[in-house]
Amino acid sequence: MASSAQKQASAARRAKNRARGQARTYPRVRARPIYSGSSCKITRRCLGRLLLLSPGVKAEELANFIGYCLAYAAALHGIEVHASVWMSNHHHTDVTDPHGNLVPFKQLLHSLIARGRNARLGRYDTFWSGDAACDTRRPTDDESLADLVYTLTNPVKDGLVKWGRLWPGFTTIDWRFGETRTFKRPDWLFDEGGEMPEEVSLTLVRPPIFPALDDEELYAKLMTQVRQREVEFQREFREKGRRFMGLRKLARQGWNQAPRSFEERFTVAPRWASSSKWLVLAQLQRDREWERQYAAARTLLLRGESAVFPAGTYWMRHFAGVAVAAQSP
């Protein structure tokens, strides 16, 4: 149960968000720019924080299923995957979108996962939470690397296993950049002879950071920080007298369970994240300018006048055929 202080904090946050929206000088824009070549961390949670992705006793089957869906969706839409960890009730996947196909990639990936897991668990209900999309971007190379570290050490941070490589679910922690792995079509979900291939392969692509380092040097830098972070988590657990859950307890997790910890509500899904608030503010100002241009173009369009939407416009370009400005190199 949420405490009185937590309820007051939620009410204050709602009021602050409402005031921010009312202060806009242009009509509200729900669209987000989708730029070709952009990188981000995709985060998606299960409905009600249920453990619908818990590895259980069929961890290998689940890892193959997730790997198959991820590889198929990434290959179909040309998405480059840099890191991915699928926890019991959410996932973090770091990607680069060379062709501006992030939206259909996410739709296909999450649809395949939802239908497959529901079929395996005998469920018929909604699988994913209806929260707003959380596709976070980082403005610097160091923070983009820290994002990968966060993804790969998530099972340790949450107190499930002592080392990230022990996570029994799907994880790319032991993949090297440029390494390719193959996943077989789950015969319990897809029919033989259908449109789904018998096997699909996924190559882990290095992120577009630290160009002076080669693949092995960047991998070594990443894994050094991963190990440091894991050791820090272990020290914090010892100081608090906590223990890691371990593989035996993980295998006994029920999919219809949910964590008991309190979760903040009515927060704004971040678009940018950085240790420097000035970098975040600069990026948010660019987003606000994009929204102003989008709102102005939409107003012209509704009046029946000629309108050019800003670069990064996705839905209106694909489904309404509007004119869109060229993206800057």
Side-chain angles (χ1 to χ4, degrees), residues 25 45 67 73 79 104 118 135 146 156 173 177 180 184 189 205 217 254 257 290 313 315 324 326:
T25 58
R45 295 187 179 277
I79 298 295
N118 272 348
D135 304 330
V156 184
I173 193 169
F177 296 129
T180 300
K184 296 183 178 180
L189 180 62
V205 181
E217 290 171 336
Q257 298 175 339
W290 185 90
T313 299
W315 194 95
V324 176

Side-chain angles (χ1 to χ4, degrees), residues 39-161:
S39 300
C40 70
K41 176 194 292 296
I42 301 169
T43 299
R44 191 77 188 268
R45 295 187 179 277
C46 295
L47 177 70
R49 304 174 71 196
L50 293 175
L51 305 179
L52 300 174
L53 293 166
S54 178
V57 295
K58 296 183 178 180
E60 292 185 6
E61 177 189 280
L62 177 62
N64 177 77
F65 166 64
I66 292 175
Y68 182 92
C69 296
L70 179 60
Y72 178 78
L76 187 64
H77 294 292
I79 298 295
E80 297 176 351
V81 178
H82 310 309
S84 185
V85 172
W86 291 67
M87 303 291 288
S88 296
N89 64 2
H90 68 280
H91 80 95
H92 298 296
T93 301
D94 299 84
V95 302
T96 292
D97 178 19
H99 310 295
N101 290 330
L102 184 66
V103 173
F105 163 74
K106 292 197 306 177
Q107 189 280 328
L108 177 60
L109 173 63
H110 293 141
S111 175
L112 290 174
I113 295 295
R115 285 182 285 171
R117 286 301 287 167
N118 272 348
R120 207 56 170 156
L121 299 174
R123 297 181 73 249
Y124 303 94
D125 204 350
T126 302
F127 187 88
W128 297 108
S129 169
D131 293 341
C134 185
D135 304 330
T136 312
R137 294 171 172 82
R138 296 280 185 171
T140 67
D141 287 359
D142 284 320
E143 291 181 328
S144 294
L145 186 68
D147 240 7
L148 299 182
V149 173
Y150 180 90
T151 294
L152 297 177
T153 59
N154 213 238
V156 184
K157 180 187 75 70
D158 288 351
L160 302 178
V161 290

Side-chain angles (χ1 to χ4, degrees), residues 201-215:
S201 297
L202 177 65
T203 300
L204 197 70
V205 181
R206 66 165 289 164
I209 57 176
F210 298 107
L213 302 179
D214 62 28
D215 289 0

Side-chain angles (χ1 to χ4, degrees), residues 297-318:
R298 182 177 59 191
T299 299
L300 291 174
L301 184 68
L302 292 175
R303 290 176 182 170
E305 302 177 23
S306 177
V308 178
F309 283 74
T313 299
Y314 180 82
W315 194 95
M316 293 292 286
R317 175 169 64 90
H318 282 274

